[in-house]
Amino acid sequence: MKLLEYQAKRQFDRVGIEVPSGRLARTPEQAAAAARELGRVAIKAQVPIGGRGKAGGIAVVDTPEEAHREAVRILAMEIRGYPVRSVWCETGLEIAHELYLGITLDRDRRRLALILSAAGGMEIEEVAATSPERIAKLWPDPFAGPRPFEVRELAFAALAHAPALTEARGRLASALVPLAQTLYRLAVELDAVTCEINPLALTADGRLVAADGKLEVDENAEYRHPELATELALDLEGEDGRTGEDPYEAEAKRRGLTYVHLPGGSIGCIGNGAGLVMNTLDLIQQVGGRPNNFLDIGGGANAEKVRTSLAMILTDPDVRGVFINIFGGITRGDEVARGIVQARDELGITVPLVVRMTGTNEVEGRRILAEAGIVPGTSAPEAARKIVELVGGAG
Amino acid sequence: MAILIDVSTRVLVQGITGREGGFHTQQMQAYGTQVVAGVVPGRGGGETLGVPIFDTVAEAVARTGADTAFTIVPPAFAADAVMEAAAAGLPLGICVTEGIPVLDMVRATAFIAGTPMRLIGPNCPGVMTPGQAKIGFIPNHVGRPGRVGVVARSGTLTYEVIQGLSESGYGETTAVGIGGDPVLGSTFVDILPLFADDPATEAVVLVGEIGGSDEERAAEWIRSSGFDRPVIAFISGRTAPPGKRMGHAGAIISGSTGSAQGKIDALTAAGAAVADTIEEVVRLVGERLAP
């Protein structure tokens, strides 16, 4: 779950990380009021995707009238598919230098990495690719968090590549200690897998201010932060309920399904286990077919889940056949078979269904399918060829 | 020979009274796995499936001599259960739970680093040593004692490979499903050296998928360790679009890391044979095994 800029900044502000003064506006009138109160402000589109500046989603205005006009324009925009529902109006900063301070999950080290660079304002991946020596990293003890000396070491390593900051390095390192510790605590509190301040502005008068913020919460931990999800939904959906997400994926999420839409494909795909479904898509493409989706019913799915899954897939009229690939472990073949038969009868499914079923309770599962007139196969490549044939090749 | 588990392994099940915990305990018992204890806080003193239940792992270990934890509890409690098993001194933990918050696993893996435990999972199908024992979800009928080690991120593809190897007569020494989460107790580079030390393992099948760099690190290990047995690899998600999380929390191509092609190239360069389909995996194993 990616939070919007203003949500991230409110979190920063709450824990004592300085951010520019700002107001959220959902209407041009609110934007004008913000400009009246704050003076010169930047009007920034709130969308959960990058590149809004290039798309024209940010404007700097001097008067309430200008603020109104620009807010009308920006609130009517759609940026890379995301309708703009709100703008963040914030005061400018006199920036002397832009730094980067971020926290991200490092899979290989099994820890959060704290990353600091004096080359702020750019994509950190780009800096890492072109001048890795300008990035300093620390992997704090997950229980203790970053210790002051560790942050100081990190700071001196990062600042060594910024001659302009040589003189200020001692003061900066001291200021970065509480900032990094606070940011780390925030990341842990919110179950963030990304928590980034970029740029971290060093102002002309020597303060460190979070000029932009990115916060992404671990999907597995969303249940611990229901208030964030509620707030985000309000910001993304607006009155028409359009989120900018693929509408099929949004619907699947509402139905509690692990689904990825591949628009334009003709073959619906269901399987149990992410690896198996990924492999199912690979197999279909290898024999000239085009999968319409990825849908993993997961481990231990019951008949109802299978029914819901089939119904979901068939909401896209492009789907002209469905391939169900089951290798039962924790998932039981008989449960899946009952779900398929129920779904076919209740939903009146007429497109071809090809079922490949093996694993736990496969004999019972195959019997249920056969009695209902669905002939199950046991080889995945064979089943893939069959569904592609039935649907009529590439489409 | 085998790695991790064999006929002497004594298993305690955390979550034995749950719907899935009960079902899979029965499956494990049917396979011949010695299930010696269940742990359910507050239900100590009871019994289920012929197995005594204890309130704590420490008590279960003291009373039954269990040496391996099978953790099948809901995601919100799983990391704590794993740490409890590690703190009790168990040398092996296998956690199948899917959906554990990743920072819970960051803390749990840091905690168990100071204990004797080797953790497999989470979000994994478990481990099977055919003919001896299995812990986890791998269907009982697919395994057959034999010559090939299997290590895989995906559960269902683990079953596919085992079934293919069994039906072709090569069989498996041990099959290990390491799991599909971003933070895992064991990755390929933790399991491959165990196969290297097992003289019965004549070849290894490695099943990877998009996301992260575990496969690249495995390739580096194969190269630098001078591993002397054939490695046959398979990578799923070759047609997955970048930026889309394909089910597993860990299966996502982001930026320049995690693509299937990068992994295939790294493994090929390290001397592994990379197959296009599971059928081809089995064929390549056959070509590389000594007659």
Side-chain angles (χ1 to χ4, degrees), chain A residues 107-108 110 143 218-220 223-224 249 272 274-276 279 282 285-286 294 327-330 332 356 381, chain B residues 24 76 100-102 104 107 137 139 156 159-160 184-185 190 213 234 237-239 244-246 248 250 279:
Chain A
R107 299 166 58 141
D108 291 347
R110 301 182 175 105
F143 295 101
D218 172 20
E219 287 183 33
N220 285 350
Y223 72 94
R224 294 204 278 232
E249 291 183 4
N272 64 310
L276 182 76
N279 186 39
D282 292 347
Q285 298 211 17
Q286 273 166 15
F294 168 105
F327 199 123
I330 187 170
R332 305 174 205 170
R356 181 270 180 141
Chain B
H24 288 285
I100 303 176
V102 69
D104 285 8
R107 286 183 285 268
F137 302 151
T156 33
Y159 317 156
E160 296 261 16
L184 295 169
D190 299 304
S213 54
F234 178 81
R238 288 181 296 171
T239 57
K244 296 273 192 185
R245 165 178 158 163
M246 300 307 262
H248 283 164
E279 279 75 5

Side-chain angles (χ1 to χ4, degrees), chain A residues 186-242:
Chain A
L186 179 66
V188 171
E189 180 199 331
L190 296 182
D191 283 293
V193 287
T194 302
C195 183
E196 199 177 78
I197 303 175
N198 188 27
L200 171 63
L202 172 63
T203 61
D205 58 355
R207 293 172 298 135
L208 287 172
V209 183
D212 201 353
K214 205 187 269 180
L215 246 169
E216 183 174 356
V217 174
D218 172 20
E219 287 183 33
N220 285 350
E222 278 181 22
Y223 72 94
R224 294 204 278 232
H225 311 284
E227 71 294 345
L228 294 178
T230 308
E231 193 180 49
L232 188 64
L234 185 72
D235 279 300
L236 296 183
E237 285 176 16
E239 280 169 13
D240 56 11
R242 284 176 53 232

